[in-house]
Amino acid sequence: MLDTILLLAGDAERPVLAEALRRAGEGVRVVAAGSTRDLPADLRTARLVAFVFPEIVPTGVLERLGYGAYNFHPGPPAYPGWVPAAFALYDGATEFGATLHEMTAKVDSGIICDVERFAVPSDCDLQGLETLAYGACLRLFERWAEALVSPLRPPHLPLRWGTRKCTRKAFAEMGRIPEGVPEEEALRRVRAFGGRLDT
């Protein structure tokens, strides 16, 4: 029987989200942690909830969870991976959002449970888009907190993840602007990746 929710979140979010989960599931123990190293050893009666959490959860942890693991990703399914907002800005995306999904050994590839979408403002920069995506994650959390403390699994949506993974390496490469790059391309990179001119 599900009796423990393990919450992985940043320092600012942990106390607030942990309290919300406690209110949603009376009698369910909530363990809030800032690292996977702080998780308990026995996970048979636990479910993991990760909220905009940068650390990759080890496969061994995922396999030992009796009630699965769920992640709030600050990007829509089209943009799996690291700092998805930057790649969306570079692409000129007009829509962005956040995704609730099951966690698997391969990052941002698990079954999608829900998506919160919004229009991208025309003058949006990276910080602005990340802030909007964070707000979308909070709305998803509010919508699903009660279900996540229940032993039932959230429903699945017939959606697929995008095939291009946003990575740290790609982010760094796009942030370097080679000499001779057309001005329009340079401006796109500066807006999305905070690019700098290579000399």
Side-chain angles (χ1 to χ4, degrees):
M1 179 178 175
L2 174 67
D3 63 16
T4 303
I5 299 294
L6 307 172
L7 173 67
L8 289 173
D11 293 344
E13 297 87 0
R14 269 200 310 279
V16 176
L17 299 184
E19 183 56 33
L21 290 168
R22 289 186 187 101
R23 286 196 310 270
E26 195 173 329
V28 174
R29 182 172 69 123
V30 177
V31 176
S35 170
T36 57
R37 295 186 306 274
D38 301 327
L39 297 175
D42 186 358
L43 305 175
R44 289 172 295 175
T45 59
R47 169 175 286 159
L48 181 85
V49 175
F51 184 86
V52 192
F53 192 69
E55 189 179 330
I56 294 174
V57 178
T59 303
V61 170
L62 296 175
E63 290 173 344
R64 296 197 326 269
L65 288 160
Y67 289 84
Y70 294 85
N71 181 49
F72 290 88
H73 170 69
Y79 291 94
W82 194 72
V83 192
F87 295 87
L89 278 177
Y90 178 77
D91 291 345
T94 57
E95 184 181 78
F96 201 62
T99 306
L100 170 63
H101 66 94
E102 292 184 6
M103 297 177 75
T104 59
K106 186 179 177 186
V107 174
D108 295 342
S109 63
I111 292 169
I112 295 166
C113 305
D114 198 6
V115 180
E116 175 79 8
R117 300 183 188 275
F118 58 84
V120 177
S122 59
D123 60 347
C124 202
D125 61 7
L126 180 56
Q127 183 178 355
L129 190 54
E130 286 188 317
T131 299
L132 291 171
Y134 182 85
C137 283
L138 286 174
R139 290 192 295 277
L140 278 176
F141 184 89
E142 290 170 4
R143 194 151 68 228
W144 287 100
E146 195 171 317
L148 289 171
V149 298
S150 156
L152 299 176
R153 293 163 63 108
H156 302 157
L157 292 181
L159 297 175
R160 294 189 182 278
W161 288 97
T163 55
R164 181 185 68 180
K165 188 78 78 172
C166 308
T167 66
R168 291 175 190 264
K169 181 181 177 184
F171 184 95
E173 287 174 355
M174 293 300 287
R176 288 190 294 270
I177 304 172
E179 218 171 332
V181 164
E183 183 181 3
E184 183 181 346
E185 173 67 10
L187 291 173
R188 283 177 68 196
R189 291 195 186 197
V190 168
R191 178 186 181 218
F193 303 100
R196 63 187 186 283
L197 188 63
D198 272 357
T199 55

